[in-house]
Structure formats: C-alpha cells, structure tokens
Short mmCIF file of all heavy atoms in Angstrom, two decimals:
data_model
loop_
_atom_site.label_atom_id
_atom_site.label_comp_id
_atom_site.label_asym_id
_atom_site.label_seq_id
_atom_site.Cartn_x
_atom_site.Cartn_y
_atom_site.Cartn_z
N GLU A 1 -58.02 -191.63 -18.60
CA GLU A 1 -57.21 -190.64 -19.30
C GLU A 1 -57.87 -189.25 -19.24
O GLU A 1 -57.18 -188.22 -19.28
CB GLU A 1 -57.03 -191.06 -20.76
CG GLU A 1 -56.00 -190.22 -21.49
CD GLU A 1 -55.62 -190.81 -22.83
OE1 GLU A 1 -56.15 -191.90 -23.16
OE2 GLU A 1 -54.81 -190.20 -23.54
N SER A 2 -59.19 -189.22 -19.10
CA SER A 2 -59.88 -187.94 -18.99
C SER A 2 -59.53 -187.24 -17.69
O SER A 2 -59.54 -186.00 -17.61
CB SER A 2 -61.40 -188.15 -19.07
OG SER A 2 -61.77 -188.65 -20.34
N ILE A 3 -59.21 -188.03 -16.66
CA ILE A 3 -58.79 -187.45 -15.38
C ILE A 3 -57.44 -186.76 -15.57
O ILE A 3 -57.19 -185.67 -15.03
CB ILE A 3 -58.71 -188.53 -14.30
CG1 ILE A 3 -60.09 -189.11 -14.04
CG2 ILE A 3 -58.12 -187.96 -13.00
CD1 ILE A 3 -60.12 -190.21 -13.00
N VAL A 4 -56.56 -187.39 -16.36
CA VAL A 4 -55.26 -186.78 -16.65
C VAL A 4 -55.46 -185.44 -17.37
O VAL A 4 -54.79 -184.45 -17.08
CB VAL A 4 -54.39 -187.73 -17.51
CG1 VAL A 4 -53.03 -187.10 -17.79
CG2 VAL A 4 -54.21 -189.06 -16.81
N THR A 5 -56.38 -185.45 -18.32
CA THR A 5 -56.67 -184.21 -19.05
C THR A 5 -57.17 -183.12 -18.10
O THR A 5 -56.78 -181.96 -18.19
CB THR A 5 -57.72 -184.47 -20.15
OG1 THR A 5 -57.25 -185.49 -21.04
CG2 THR A 5 -58.02 -183.21 -20.93
N ALA A 6 -58.04 -183.53 -17.17
CA ALA A 6 -58.58 -182.56 -16.20
C ALA A 6 -57.47 -182.00 -15.32
O ALA A 6 -57.45 -180.81 -15.01
CB ALA A 6 -59.64 -183.24 -15.34
N ILE A 7 -56.53 -182.87 -14.90
CA ILE A 7 -55.40 -182.41 -14.08
C ILE A 7 -54.55 -181.42 -14.86
O ILE A 7 -54.14 -180.38 -14.34
CB ILE A 7 -54.55 -183.61 -13.63
CG1 ILE A 7 -55.34 -184.51 -12.68
CG2 ILE A 7 -53.27 -183.14 -12.94
CD1 ILE A 7 -54.63 -185.81 -12.34
N THR A 8 -54.31 -181.75 -16.13
CA THR A 8 -53.50 -180.86 -16.97
C THR A 8 -54.14 -179.48 -17.11
O THR A 8 -53.48 -178.45 -16.96
CB THR A 8 -53.31 -181.47 -18.37
OG1 THR A 8 -52.76 -182.79 -18.25
CG2 THR A 8 -52.36 -180.63 -19.21
N TYR A 9 -55.45 -179.46 -17.35
CA TYR A 9 -56.14 -178.18 -17.50
C TYR A 9 -56.22 -177.45 -16.16
O TYR A 9 -56.15 -176.21 -16.13
CB TYR A 9 -57.54 -178.40 -18.08
CG TYR A 9 -57.55 -178.42 -19.58
CD1 TYR A 9 -57.44 -179.63 -20.27
CD2 TYR A 9 -57.65 -177.25 -20.32
CE1 TYR A 9 -57.44 -179.67 -21.66
CE2 TYR A 9 -57.65 -177.28 -21.70
CZ TYR A 9 -57.54 -178.49 -22.37
OH TYR A 9 -57.53 -178.51 -23.74
N GLY A 10 -56.36 -178.19 -15.07
CA GLY A 10 -56.40 -177.56 -13.76
C GLY A 10 -55.09 -176.86 -13.45
O GLY A 10 -55.07 -175.73 -12.96
N ARG A 11 -53.99 -177.54 -13.75
CA ARG A 11 -52.68 -176.93 -13.51
C ARG A 11 -52.41 -175.78 -14.47
O ARG A 11 -51.72 -174.81 -14.13
CB ARG A 11 -51.59 -178.00 -13.59
CG ARG A 11 -51.73 -179.04 -12.50
CD ARG A 11 -50.54 -179.94 -12.39
NE ARG A 11 -50.70 -180.86 -11.28
CZ ARG A 11 -49.80 -181.76 -10.91
NH1 ARG A 11 -48.66 -181.84 -11.56
NH2 ARG A 11 -50.02 -182.56 -9.88
N THR A 12 -52.95 -175.89 -15.67
CA THR A 12 -52.82 -174.80 -16.62
C THR A 12 -53.54 -173.56 -16.11
O THR A 12 -53.03 -172.43 -16.22
CB THR A 12 -53.38 -175.20 -17.98
OG1 THR A 12 -52.66 -176.32 -18.50
CG2 THR A 12 -53.30 -174.05 -18.97
N MET A 13 -54.71 -173.75 -15.53
CA MET A 13 -55.45 -172.62 -14.95
C MET A 13 -54.65 -171.95 -13.85
O MET A 13 -54.61 -170.72 -13.75
CB MET A 13 -56.80 -173.10 -14.42
CG MET A 13 -57.81 -173.47 -15.50
SD MET A 13 -59.35 -174.11 -14.82
CE MET A 13 -59.92 -172.68 -13.88
N THR A 14 -54.01 -172.77 -13.01
CA THR A 14 -53.19 -172.22 -11.93
C THR A 14 -52.06 -171.37 -12.51
O THR A 14 -51.80 -170.25 -12.05
CB THR A 14 -52.60 -173.34 -11.07
OG1 THR A 14 -53.68 -174.09 -10.50
CG2 THR A 14 -51.72 -172.78 -9.96
N ARG A 15 -51.37 -171.93 -13.53
CA ARG A 15 -50.27 -171.20 -14.15
C ARG A 15 -50.76 -169.92 -14.84
O ARG A 15 -50.09 -168.89 -14.79
CB ARG A 15 -49.57 -172.09 -15.18
CG ARG A 15 -48.76 -173.23 -14.56
CD ARG A 15 -47.76 -172.68 -13.57
NE ARG A 15 -46.96 -173.71 -12.97
CZ ARG A 15 -45.77 -174.13 -13.43
NH1 ARG A 15 -45.27 -173.57 -14.52
NH2 ARG A 15 -45.11 -175.06 -12.81
N THR A 16 -51.92 -169.99 -15.46
CA THR A 16 -52.46 -168.82 -16.14
C THR A 16 -52.78 -167.71 -15.15
O THR A 16 -52.50 -166.52 -15.41
CB THR A 16 -53.73 -169.21 -16.92
OG1 THR A 16 -53.40 -170.21 -17.90
CG2 THR A 16 -54.33 -168.00 -17.63
N ILE A 17 -53.36 -168.08 -14.03
CA ILE A 17 -53.65 -167.09 -12.98
C ILE A 17 -52.36 -166.46 -12.47
O ILE A 17 -52.28 -165.24 -12.26
CB ILE A 17 -54.43 -167.74 -11.82
CG1 ILE A 17 -55.84 -168.12 -12.29
CG2 ILE A 17 -54.53 -166.79 -10.63
CD1 ILE A 17 -56.61 -168.97 -11.30
N GLN A 18 -51.33 -167.28 -12.31
CA GLN A 18 -50.03 -166.77 -11.85
C GLN A 18 -49.44 -165.80 -12.87
O GLN A 18 -48.91 -164.75 -12.52
CB GLN A 18 -49.07 -167.92 -11.60
CG GLN A 18 -49.42 -168.77 -10.39
CD GLN A 18 -48.48 -169.94 -10.21
OE1 GLN A 18 -47.92 -170.47 -11.17
NE2 GLN A 18 -48.31 -170.38 -8.98
N LYS A 19 -49.54 -166.14 -14.16
CA LYS A 19 -49.04 -165.25 -15.21
C LYS A 19 -49.76 -163.91 -15.18
O LYS A 19 -49.14 -162.84 -15.29
CB LYS A 19 -49.21 -165.91 -16.57
CG LYS A 19 -48.36 -167.14 -16.80
CD LYS A 19 -48.71 -167.82 -18.12
CE LYS A 19 -47.91 -169.09 -18.33
NZ LYS A 19 -48.25 -169.77 -19.61
N PHE A 20 -51.08 -163.99 -15.05
CA PHE A 20 -51.87 -162.76 -15.02
C PHE A 20 -51.54 -161.90 -13.81
O PHE A 20 -51.44 -160.68 -13.91
CB PHE A 20 -53.35 -163.10 -15.05
CG PHE A 20 -54.25 -161.90 -15.02
CD1 PHE A 20 -54.34 -161.05 -16.10
CD2 PHE A 20 -55.02 -161.60 -13.90
CE1 PHE A 20 -55.16 -159.93 -16.10
CE2 PHE A 20 -55.85 -160.50 -13.87
CZ PHE A 20 -55.91 -159.65 -14.97
N LEU A 21 -51.34 -162.56 -12.66
CA LEU A 21 -50.98 -161.81 -11.45
C LEU A 21 -49.62 -161.13 -11.60
O LEU A 21 -49.45 -159.98 -11.17
CB LEU A 21 -50.98 -162.75 -10.24
CG LEU A 21 -52.34 -163.15 -9.68
CD1 LEU A 21 -52.17 -164.15 -8.55
CD2 LEU A 21 -53.11 -161.94 -9.20
N MET A 22 -48.66 -161.82 -12.20
CA MET A 22 -47.34 -161.20 -12.41
C MET A 22 -47.47 -159.98 -13.31
O MET A 22 -46.86 -158.93 -13.04
CB MET A 22 -46.37 -162.23 -13.03
CG MET A 22 -45.89 -163.28 -12.07
SD MET A 22 -44.59 -164.34 -12.77
CE MET A 22 -45.52 -165.30 -13.96
N PHE A 23 -48.26 -160.12 -14.35
CA PHE A 23 -48.47 -159.00 -15.27
C PHE A 23 -49.16 -157.84 -14.57
O PHE A 23 -48.73 -156.68 -14.64
CB PHE A 23 -49.31 -159.49 -16.45
CG PHE A 23 -49.76 -158.41 -17.38
CD1 PHE A 23 -48.91 -157.89 -18.35
CD2 PHE A 23 -51.04 -157.88 -17.28
CE1 PHE A 23 -49.33 -156.88 -19.20
CE2 PHE A 23 -51.47 -156.87 -18.12
CZ PHE A 23 -50.61 -156.37 -19.08
N GLN A 24 -50.25 -158.14 -13.87
CA GLN A 24 -51.06 -157.09 -13.26
C GLN A 24 -50.35 -156.41 -12.09
O GLN A 24 -50.37 -155.18 -11.97
CB GLN A 24 -52.39 -157.68 -12.79
CG GLN A 24 -53.41 -156.64 -12.38
CD GLN A 24 -54.72 -157.26 -11.99
OE1 GLN A 24 -54.76 -158.13 -11.13
NE2 GLN A 24 -55.81 -156.83 -12.62
N LEU A 25 -49.72 -157.20 -11.23
CA LEU A 25 -49.08 -156.62 -10.05
C LEU A 25 -47.86 -155.78 -10.44
O LEU A 25 -47.50 -154.84 -9.73
CB LEU A 25 -48.68 -157.73 -9.06
CG LEU A 25 -49.86 -158.41 -8.35
CD1 LEU A 25 -49.37 -159.50 -7.42
CD2 LEU A 25 -50.68 -157.38 -7.57
N SER A 26 -47.20 -156.15 -11.54
CA SER A 26 -46.07 -155.34 -12.00
C SER A 26 -46.55 -153.92 -12.31
O SER A 26 -45.88 -152.93 -11.98
CB SER A 26 -45.44 -155.95 -13.26
OG SER A 26 -44.91 -157.22 -12.99
N VAL A 27 -47.72 -153.81 -12.91
CA VAL A 27 -48.30 -152.50 -13.21
C VAL A 27 -48.72 -151.78 -11.94
O VAL A 27 -48.41 -150.59 -11.74
CB VAL A 27 -49.51 -152.65 -14.15
CG1 VAL A 27 -50.10 -151.27 -14.49
CG2 VAL A 27 -49.13 -153.37 -15.42
N ASN A 28 -49.39 -152.50 -11.05
CA ASN A 28 -49.88 -151.88 -9.81
C ASN A 28 -48.73 -151.38 -8.94
O ASN A 28 -48.78 -150.27 -8.39
CB ASN A 28 -50.70 -152.89 -9.01
CG ASN A 28 -52.08 -153.10 -9.61
OD1 ASN A 28 -52.61 -152.23 -10.27
ND2 ASN A 28 -52.66 -154.27 -9.39
N VAL A 29 -47.70 -152.21 -8.79
CA VAL A 29 -46.55 -151.83 -7.95
C VAL A 29 -45.86 -150.61 -8.55
O VAL A 29 -45.48 -149.67 -7.84
CB VAL A 29 -45.56 -153.01 -7.82
CG1 VAL A 29 -44.26 -152.54 -7.16
CG2 VAL A 29 -46.19 -154.13 -7.01
N SER A 30 -45.70 -150.60 -9.88
CA SER A 30 -45.04 -149.47 -10.54
C SER A 30 -45.83 -148.18 -10.35
O SER A 30 -45.26 -147.12 -10.03
CB SER A 30 -44.90 -149.77 -12.03
OG SER A 30 -44.11 -150.90 -12.25
N MET A 31 -47.15 -148.24 -10.52
CA MET A 31 -47.97 -147.04 -10.34
C MET A 31 -47.96 -146.55 -8.91
O MET A 31 -47.95 -145.35 -8.65
CB MET A 31 -49.41 -147.34 -10.79
CG MET A 31 -49.55 -147.59 -12.28
SD MET A 31 -51.27 -147.77 -12.83
CE MET A 31 -51.84 -146.08 -12.67
N LEU A 32 -47.93 -147.48 -7.95
CA LEU A 32 -47.87 -147.09 -6.54
C LEU A 32 -46.56 -146.38 -6.21
O LEU A 32 -46.56 -145.31 -5.58
CB LEU A 32 -48.03 -148.33 -5.66
CG LEU A 32 -47.92 -148.10 -4.15
CD1 LEU A 32 -49.03 -147.17 -3.65
CD2 LEU A 32 -47.98 -149.45 -3.40
N ILE A 33 -45.47 -146.97 -6.68
CA ILE A 33 -44.15 -146.35 -6.42
C ILE A 33 -44.05 -144.98 -7.09
O ILE A 33 -43.55 -144.01 -6.51
CB ILE A 33 -43.02 -147.28 -6.91
CG1 ILE A 33 -43.02 -148.58 -6.09
CG2 ILE A 33 -41.67 -146.59 -6.77
CD1 ILE A 33 -42.03 -149.60 -6.59
N LEU A 34 -44.54 -144.90 -8.32
CA LEU A 34 -44.49 -143.62 -9.04
C LEU A 34 -45.33 -142.56 -8.34
O LEU A 34 -44.93 -141.39 -8.28
CB LEU A 34 -45.00 -143.80 -10.48
CG LEU A 34 -44.04 -144.49 -11.45
CD1 LEU A 34 -44.71 -144.71 -12.80
CD2 LEU A 34 -42.77 -143.66 -11.63
N SER A 35 -46.46 -142.94 -7.78
CA SER A 35 -47.30 -141.99 -7.06
C SER A 35 -46.59 -141.43 -5.83
O SER A 35 -46.72 -140.25 -5.50
CB SER A 35 -48.61 -142.66 -6.65
OG SER A 35 -49.35 -143.08 -7.78
N ILE A 36 -45.83 -142.30 -5.17
CA ILE A 36 -45.08 -141.85 -3.98
C ILE A 36 -43.91 -140.96 -4.38
O ILE A 36 -43.68 -139.89 -3.79
CB ILE A 36 -44.57 -143.08 -3.19
CG1 ILE A 36 -45.77 -143.89 -2.66
CG2 ILE A 36 -43.66 -142.65 -2.06
CD1 ILE A 36 -45.38 -145.20 -2.00
N ILE A 37 -43.17 -141.40 -5.43
CA ILE A 37 -41.99 -140.63 -5.85
C ILE A 37 -42.39 -139.27 -6.40
O ILE A 37 -41.68 -138.26 -6.20
CB ILE A 37 -41.20 -141.43 -6.91
CG1 ILE A 37 -40.59 -142.68 -6.26
CG2 ILE A 37 -40.11 -140.57 -7.53
CD1 ILE A 37 -39.84 -143.58 -7.23
N SER A 38 -43.52 -139.24 -7.09
CA SER A 38 -43.93 -137.98 -7.74
C SER A 38 -44.12 -136.85 -6.72
O SER A 38 -43.95 -135.67 -7.06
CB SER A 38 -45.22 -138.20 -8.52
OG SER A 38 -46.29 -138.54 -7.64
N MET A 39 -44.47 -137.21 -5.50
CA MET A 39 -44.66 -136.18 -4.48
C MET A 39 -43.37 -135.43 -4.20
O MET A 39 -43.39 -134.25 -3.86
CB MET A 39 -45.20 -136.82 -3.20
CG MET A 39 -46.62 -137.39 -3.34
SD MET A 39 -47.32 -137.94 -1.77
CE MET A 39 -46.20 -139.29 -1.38
N PHE A 40 -42.23 -136.10 -4.34
CA PHE A 40 -40.95 -135.45 -4.07
C PHE A 40 -40.56 -134.51 -5.20
O PHE A 40 -39.68 -133.69 -5.05
CB PHE A 40 -39.86 -136.50 -3.87
CG PHE A 40 -40.05 -137.35 -2.65
CD1 PHE A 40 -40.69 -138.58 -2.71
CD2 PHE A 40 -39.64 -136.91 -1.41
CE1 PHE A 40 -40.88 -139.35 -1.59
CE2 PHE A 40 -39.84 -137.67 -0.26
CZ PHE A 40 -40.46 -138.91 -0.35
N PHE A 41 -41.20 -134.69 -6.36
CA PHE A 41 -40.92 -133.80 -7.49
C PHE A 41 -42.00 -132.73 -7.63
O PHE A 41 -41.99 -131.95 -8.59
CB PHE A 41 -40.84 -134.62 -8.78
CG PHE A 41 -39.65 -135.53 -8.86
CD1 PHE A 41 -39.74 -136.85 -8.45
CD2 PHE A 41 -38.43 -135.07 -9.33
CE1 PHE A 41 -38.66 -137.69 -8.51
CE2 PHE A 41 -37.33 -135.90 -9.39
CZ PHE A 41 -37.44 -137.22 -8.99
N GLY A 42 -42.91 -132.69 -6.70
CA GLY A 42 -43.96 -131.69 -6.74
C GLY A 42 -45.00 -131.95 -7.81
O GLY A 42 -45.72 -131.02 -8.22
N ILE A 43 -45.06 -133.18 -8.28
CA ILE A 43 -46.05 -133.55 -9.30
C ILE A 43 -47.29 -134.09 -8.60
O ILE A 43 -47.22 -135.06 -7.85
CB ILE A 43 -45.48 -134.61 -10.26
CG1 ILE A 43 -44.22 -134.08 -10.95
CG2 ILE A 43 -46.52 -135.02 -11.30
CD1 ILE A 43 -43.52 -135.09 -11.82
N LYS A 44 -48.42 -133.45 -8.83
CA LYS A 44 -49.64 -133.86 -8.12
C LYS A 44 -50.12 -135.23 -8.56
O LYS A 44 -50.58 -136.04 -7.76
CB LYS A 44 -50.74 -132.81 -8.35
CG LYS A 44 -50.43 -131.46 -7.72
CD LYS A 44 -51.59 -130.48 -7.94
CE LYS A 44 -51.30 -129.16 -7.28
NZ LYS A 44 -52.41 -128.19 -7.48
N GLU A 45 -50.06 -135.47 -9.85
CA GLU A 45 -50.49 -136.78 -10.35
C GLU A 45 -49.64 -137.16 -11.56
O GLU A 45 -49.40 -136.36 -12.46
CB GLU A 45 -51.96 -136.77 -10.73
CG GLU A 45 -52.34 -135.70 -11.72
CD GLU A 45 -53.82 -135.71 -12.06
OE1 GLU A 45 -54.62 -136.20 -11.22
OE2 GLU A 45 -54.19 -135.22 -13.13
N VAL A 46 -49.14 -138.42 -11.52
CA VAL A 46 -48.30 -138.89 -12.64
C VAL A 46 -49.16 -139.06 -13.88
O VAL A 46 -48.77 -138.67 -14.98
CB VAL A 46 -47.64 -140.23 -12.26
CG1 VAL A 46 -46.75 -140.71 -13.40
CG2 VAL A 46 -46.83 -140.08 -10.99
N PHE A 47 -50.33 -139.66 -13.68
CA PHE A 47 -51.25 -139.91 -14.80
C PHE A 47 -52.59 -139.27 -14.51
O PHE A 47 -53.05 -139.24 -13.37
CB PHE A 47 -51.43 -141.40 -15.03
CG PHE A 47 -50.17 -142.13 -15.39
CD1 PHE A 47 -49.65 -143.10 -14.55
CD2 PHE A 47 -49.50 -141.84 -16.57
CE1 PHE A 47 -48.50 -143.78 -14.87
CE2 PHE A 47 -48.33 -142.52 -16.90
CZ PHE A 47 -47.83 -143.49 -16.06
#
C-alpha cells in the first residue's frame, strides 16, 4: 500500500508542476506580448 501512496504523491508532483507552469507561463507570455505591442505605441517599457 505504501507503493500506492508513492504513486499518488508522484502523480501529484507532476500535476503540481503543471499547475505552476500554467501559472508562470501565462505571466511570461503576457509580458512578452505586451513588450512587443508597446513598441507600436511608442512606449519604451511597459513596466
């Protein structure tokens, strides 16, 4: 049964990493797009 527990925690780690990547990449992609778009508005830096 301890092996089952290990499998459960292993898959939880995978899901947690995926959640964190979705959160982090959403921010990165948004900042990248904003940096590109800002050039068309003559804004040197968004942030």
Side-chain angles (χ1 to χ4, degrees):
E1 191 169 358
S2 295
I3 296 178
V4 180
T5 302
I7 294 173
T8 306
Y9 273 92
R11 295 191 177 182
T12 299
M13 288 177 62
T14 299
R15 289 305 181 92
T16 300
I17 291 171
Q18 290 177 332
K19 293 174 183 179
F20 180 69
L21 283 177
M22 286 187 289
F23 172 81
Q24 191 178 55
L25 290 179
S26 297
V27 181
N28 285 334
V29 170
S30 298
M31 293 186 71
L32 177 62
I33 295 174
L34 285 175
S35 297
I36 296 174
I37 293 177
S38 64
M39 293 187 295
F40 294 95
F41 292 94
I43 301 175
K44 293 182 178 180
E45 55 181 24
V46 181
F47 299 116

